[in-house]
């Protein structure tokens, strides 16, 4: 489990991305509203050059602005300041280029983009959002002022009010969205922290329980004389077995707190198996083992348990090795090896118990079981499963 990894965006980052995309779509639509105007009623030549040049430059700057913002995931103060400054220039220069009667009409392309600039400044202007909106609206009034007294004079005031109201609503909405995203991120961090504490507590309890049920019981048995007696070799075997058990227990806990189920299951099975009484069991488990479906863990562990039963019955050896290794991609291989009497694979056919308890369960979960032996050279059992 991970808590907000570098590859996963936070709620605040997702909110920035959503708002920037919305502002980019809004600005593009606002520029697109005027595309038809130059081709109606006389064509583009009826406008002064600064009208068309200003339109092209403003559109290109807006494209660059939102391209950079999309890559960075936010709008920075220098870009917002440049957007406001350019808007003030074309609000005055372009509006004054129109005849007074058209300065505040829909034929003036600056009106929709200016509204977009005020909305952007209200969201990303920081503590200067109000002055930025005032400057843009003020520049619009200065540029379109000649329209006052014409038939479109009312448009001068209505467009000013529209820009101001849109900016106010956008600023409040943006603040609410950002505040909600920050609260969501804080809640997510608190939930991850609480989960981590829960996992740590669970791991601590697991380790305590494992210690109580294994090494402490063994030490108490040795101290009371019920385990090992006076046989120094038996006591050493018990100590070596418990050391392997504790090493396996430590490997069973992943750094992220997830228990590697197969490692833990094998360790617990081996620790409690009767083979420990008369045999030295050497275990080695790869700490990279993946988490597996429960039925796979049960099948592999059950087959390994039955294999150790066979070691007790037939191997006539005092040592057995149990290993678990990683198979790419995402698979595992459990190997049980002894150097006992072995068997002749050409003449000995696996019995009913071997098929029922080793071969069939592993095959049923999509795995493979391989048994090989030779007289006097021991037996190897390989249990494998891949995704």
């Amino acid at each position: 489990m991970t808590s907000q990894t570098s590859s996963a965006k936070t709620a605040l980052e997702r909110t920035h991305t959503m708002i920037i995309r919305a502002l980019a779509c809004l600005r593009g639509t606002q520029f697109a509203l005027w595309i038809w105007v130059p081709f109606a009623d006389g064509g583009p030549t009826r406008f002064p050059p600064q009208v068309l040049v200003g339109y092209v430059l403003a559109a290109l700057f807006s494209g660059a602005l939102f391209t950079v913002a999309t890559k960075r995931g936010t709008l920075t103060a220098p870009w917002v300041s440049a957007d406001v400054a350019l808007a003030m220039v074309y609000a005055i220069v372009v509006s004054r280029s129109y005849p007074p009667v058209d300065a505040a009409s829909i034929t003036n392309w600056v009106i929709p983009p200016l509204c977009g600039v005020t909305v952007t400044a209200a969201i990303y202007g920081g503590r200067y959002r109000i002055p930025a909106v005032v400057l843009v609206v003020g520049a619009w009034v200065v540029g379109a002022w000649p329209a006052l007294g014409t038939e479109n004079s009312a448009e001068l005031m209505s467009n000013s009010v529209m820009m101001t109201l849109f900016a106010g609503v956008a600023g409040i909405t943006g603040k609410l969205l950002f505040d909600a995203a920050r609260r969501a991120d804080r809640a997510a961090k608190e939930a991850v922290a609480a989960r981590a504490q829960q996992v740590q507590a669970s791991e601590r309890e697991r380790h305590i329980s494992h210690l109580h049920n294994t090494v402490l019981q063994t030490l108490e048995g040795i101290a009371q004389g019920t385990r090992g007696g006076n046989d120094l070799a038996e006591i050493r075997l018990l100590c070596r077995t418990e050391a392997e058990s504790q090493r396996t227990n430590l490997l069973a806990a992943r750094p992220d707190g997830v228990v590697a189920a197969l490692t833990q299951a094998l360790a617990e099975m081996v620790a409690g198996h009767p083979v420990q009484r008369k045999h030295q069991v050497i275990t080695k488990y790869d700490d990279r083992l993946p988490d597996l479906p429960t039925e796979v863990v049960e099948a592999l562990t059950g087959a390994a348990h039955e294999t150790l039963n066979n070691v007790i019955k037939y191997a006539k050896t005092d040592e057995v090795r149990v290993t678990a290794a990683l198979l790419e991609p995402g698979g595992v291989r459990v190997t049980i090896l002894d150097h006992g009497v072995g068997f002749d694979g050409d003449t000995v056919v696996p019995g009913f118990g071997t098929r029922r308890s080793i071969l069939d369960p592993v095959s049923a979960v999509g795995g493979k079981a391989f048994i090989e032996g030779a007289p006097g050279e021991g037996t190897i059992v390989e249990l494998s499963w891949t995704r």
Side-chain angles (χ1 to χ4, degrees):
M1 297 177 62
T2 55
S3 54
Q4 300 292 340
T5 62
S6 59
S7 61
K9 287 188 175 181
T10 64
L12 184 59
E13 290 171 336
R14 292 194 298 271
T15 301
H16 275 295
T17 299
M18 176 189 68
I19 290 179
I20 288 171
R21 288 176 178 175
L23 290 174
C25 291
L26 174 65
R27 191 74 66 92
T29 302
Q30 289 168 335
F31 276 104
L33 290 173
W34 193 75
I35 291 178
W36 64 274
V37 176
F39 302 99
D41 298 330
T45 56
R46 70 188 181 97
F47 296 107
Q50 54 266 39
V51 173
L52 296 176
V53 172
Y55 176 86
V56 172
L57 292 177
L60 290 175
F61 175 82
S62 294
L65 169 73
F66 287 106
T67 298
V68 173
T70 300
K71 290 181 178 180
R72 292 182 176 179
T74 188
L75 267 170
T76 59
W79 279 96
V80 175
S81 300
D83 194 33
V84 169
L86 180 61
M88 292 174 62
V89 171
Y90 63 68
I92 296 174
V93 174
V94 174
S95 296
R96 287 297 178 109
S97 300
Y98 282 94
V101 70
D102 293 329
S105 71
I106 192 61
T107 59
N108 187 353
W109 65 262
V110 305
I111 299 172
L114 286 178
C115 187
V117 172
T118 59
V119 167
T120 302
I123 296 175
Y124 284 102
R127 59 180 176 174
Y128 300 109
R129 58 170 59 91
I130 294 178
V133 172
V134 171
L135 287 173
V136 174
V137 175
W140 154 251
V141 172
V142 171
W145 189 258
L148 197 65
T150 68
E151 62 184 33
N152 289 323
S153 59
E155 299 295 328
L156 174 64
M157 297 309 300
S158 65
N159 287 327
S160 302
V161 172
M162 176 187 66
M163 294 176 194
T164 304
L165 289 178
F166 278 16
V169 172
I172 293 172
T173 302
K175 185 177 186 305
L176 292 175
L177 289 173
F178 288 141
D179 287 346
R182 292 187 183 97
R183 287 195 298 271
D185 285 337
R186 283 196 297 270
K189 289 181 180 179
E190 291 171 359
V192 169
R195 174 59 181 163
Q197 291 178 353
Q198 182 181 5
V199 169
Q200 290 173 358
S202 176
E203 274 298 290
R204 185 166 55 252
E205 289 297 323
R206 187 179 71 83
H207 284 300
I208 292 173
S209 176
H210 183 82
L211 284 170
H212 178 270
N213 295 333
T214 55
V215 67
L216 291 180
Q217 296 287 345
T218 300
L219 291 175
E220 288 180 359
I222 292 173
Q224 295 171 3
T226 58
R227 299 287 300 274
N230 296 322
D231 188 342
L232 182 58
E234 178 70 13
I235 293 175
R236 287 177 175 174
L237 175 60
L238 288 171
C239 292
R240 184 164 50 248
T241 300
E242 291 301 339
E244 287 293 332
S245 175
Q246 296 312 310
R247 185 177 296 109
T248 300
N249 186 50
L250 291 175
L251 291 177
R254 300 286 183 82
D256 57 6
V258 177
V259 173
L262 178 61
T263 302
Q264 182 180 355
L266 285 172
E268 293 177 352
M269 183 274 291
V270 171
H273 198 281
V275 74
Q276 296 279 6
R277 298 172 187 170
K278 298 295 182 180
H279 299 73
Q280 178 184 356
V281 183
I282 300 173
T283 59
K284 184 178 180 180
Y285 306 134
D286 193 330
D287 60 357
R288 300 172 300 162
L289 291 182
D291 297 318
L292 304 175
T294 302
E295 63 272 15
V296 175
V297 173
E298 292 177 349
L300 295 178
T301 305
H305 185 280
E306 179 62 20
T307 301
L308 292 179
N309 287 342
N310 290 340
V311 170
I312 296 174
K313 296 177 183 178
Y314 310 116
K316 296 181 181 179
T317 181
D318 58 1
E319 181 182 291
V320 60
R321 295 177 179 269
V322 180
T323 62
L326 178 68
L327 286 180
E328 297 293 351
V332 297
R333 178 175 60 225
V334 177
T335 303
I336 302 93
L337 171 66
D338 72 74
H339 294 290
V341 298
F343 67 94
D344 188 347
D346 294 332
T347 60
V348 177
V349 178
F352 175 75
T354 298
R355 289 196 304 272
R356 182 188 65 181
S357 301
I358 298 178
L359 302 178
D360 292 346
V362 175
S363 177
V365 295
K368 296 179 180 179
F370 172 78
I371 303 174
E372 184 178 26
E377 296 183 7
T379 303
I380 182 171
V381 177
E382 288 189 355
L383 313 169
S384 62
W385 182 87
T386 55
R387 297 185 186 277

